[in-house]
Amino acid sequence: MHSGSLESVASVVREAKEIVVFSGAGLSADSGIPTFRDGATGLWNKVDPDEVASIEGFLRNPERVWNWLLQLKKLVDERQPNAGHQALARLQEICRAKQLTVITQNIDGYHSRAGNAPVLEVHGTIHRLRCQQRCGFSADWEQSAAEPFRCPRCGAPVRPDLVLFGEMLDEEVFAAAETCSMTADLFFCVGTSFTVQPAALLPVWAKRAGATVVEVNPHPTSLSALADYSIRSGASEFFTALSAKLAARQA
Ligand code: APR
């Protein structure tokens, strides 16, 4: 990571009034949660997402999807938010006079566990269940719920409260994410490959609306050319250094 870019980004943060941090699986990589598309370790390079994480897969074979997601949930419950999540919570504290919103594609809940707020979970969460028919039933997903079950209210299937492939995002959550993106003057993109729509449109809309876009990723992505700063770094390293630099000047 070029120290010059850290100082430049720090001064953009100091000037900014509305900041968005848009995160993906790469942010949780340091917690030991595999990303989806990274080389040999990427989850989708090991298992077919249509089979284990799509609505068609769920309606065809609910046990298969339930079991696979439950294994992922158990790993998420075992592990912890990492230094990257904690540095973002510190950044939010340092920027408390500004509006800083986290928009995440991650379903692990680590941002909130690290103290970030507000957090818009555009792909939902692995920690809650809901009725497939949205009759209003929802519950925390206890690991003891090892088998799919029927909604106690309406009898429809109950499923994890996350966005499966082939499904629309929650309109309210996405509308809020869109509004934040359009009013942000600084938009961080960390740990995402910009593969999945419509979430991958948010940085593009932010850029069009005039935001400075800063990408943090050890590898180039399809967004790198559009970003004002495309920083080759891991999330933990970059945000730890950035928060420290900003805190030093505050002291
Ligand atoms: N720090 C920052 N970025 C990292 C790190 C790290 N330590 N390690 C890996 N990355 C980057 C990779 O280079 C890659 O560009 O994180 C990105 C992870 O990309 P994906 O695995 O495609 O994850 P993501 O972009 O979050 O996927 C989007 O796709 O599978 C669906 O719904 C799922 O929310 C997910 C969506």
Side-chain angles (χ1 to χ4, degrees), residues 18-84:
E18 292 197 29
I19 302 171
V20 165
V21 175
F22 176 60
S23 67
L27 177 62
S28 296
D30 286 355
S31 299
I33 310 295
T35 65
F36 296 98
R37 297 174 186 82
D38 272 332
T41 56
L43 291 169
W44 300 151
N45 303 330
K46 294 180 180 166
V47 66
D48 179 355
D50 289 336
E51 213 185 295
V52 298
S54 75
I55 186 61
E56 276 168 31
F58 179 74
L59 298 175
R60 201 170 49 237
N61 184 347
E63 287 74 20
R64 176 93 175 93
V65 172
W66 190 278
N67 292 336
W68 190 81
L69 287 170
L70 185 55
Q71 293 321 308
L72 183 57
K73 177 182 159 47
K74 286 180 178 168
L75 179 65
V76 167
D77 291 345
E78 248 169 55
R79 302 295 169 87
Q80 313 289 328
N82 60 56

Side-chain angles (χ1 to χ4, degrees), residues 24-26 29-30 35-38 44 105 123 165 191-196 216-219 221 233-235:
D30 286 355
T35 65
F36 296 98
R37 297 174 186 82
D38 272 332
W44 300 151
Q105 298 168 91
H123 291 163
F165 283 106
T192 180
S193 62
F194 304 101
T195 319
V196 167
V216 181
N217 194 315
H219 306 292
T221 70
S233 169

Side-chain angles (χ1 to χ4, degrees), residues 197-244:
Q197 306 293 348
L201 289 171
L202 295 170
V204 179
W205 291 338
K207 175 79 182 172
R208 274 205 205 125
T212 299
V213 173
V214 178
E215 176 185 50
V216 181
N217 194 315
H219 306 292
T221 70
S222 56
L223 190 100
S224 301
L226 181 129
D228 299 280
Y229 300 90
S230 185
I231 297 173
R232 292 290 151 269
S233 169
S236 302
E237 183 201 358
F238 178 78
F239 285 105
T240 303
L242 179 65
S243 303

Side-chain angles (χ1 to χ4, degrees), residues 95-191:
C95 296
R96 61 190 168 283
K98 305 171 191 287
Q99 173 63 38
L100 191 153
T101 305
V102 171
I103 301 173
T104 190
Q105 298 168 91
N106 300 344
I107 56 177
D108 53 33
Y110 283 175
H111 278 295
S112 304
R113 265 176 72 184
N116 275 130
V119 178
L120 297 170
E121 297 177 311
V122 292
H123 291 163
T125 173
I126 202 163
H127 299 296
R128 224 176 28 248
L129 302 171
R130 71 165 172 83
C131 168
Q132 170 62 18
Q133 294 306 328
R134 292 190 185 276
C135 76
F137 169 80
S138 77
D140 290 340
W141 193 358
E142 309 296 345
Q143 288 190 11
S144 54
E147 308 279 329
F149 59 95
R150 291 264 154 194
C151 175
R153 282 201 197 169
C154 73
V158 167
R159 34 75 53 89
D161 191 10
L162 48 85
V163 180
L164 296 167
F165 283 106
E167 292 190 308
M168 302 281 284
L169 277 55
D170 180 287
E171 271 182 46
E172 235 178 271
V173 177
F174 194 66
E178 191 181 340
T179 305
C180 289
S181 303
M182 305 287 267
T183 56
D185 38 31
L186 173 55
F187 193 100
F188 285 104
C189 304
V190 53

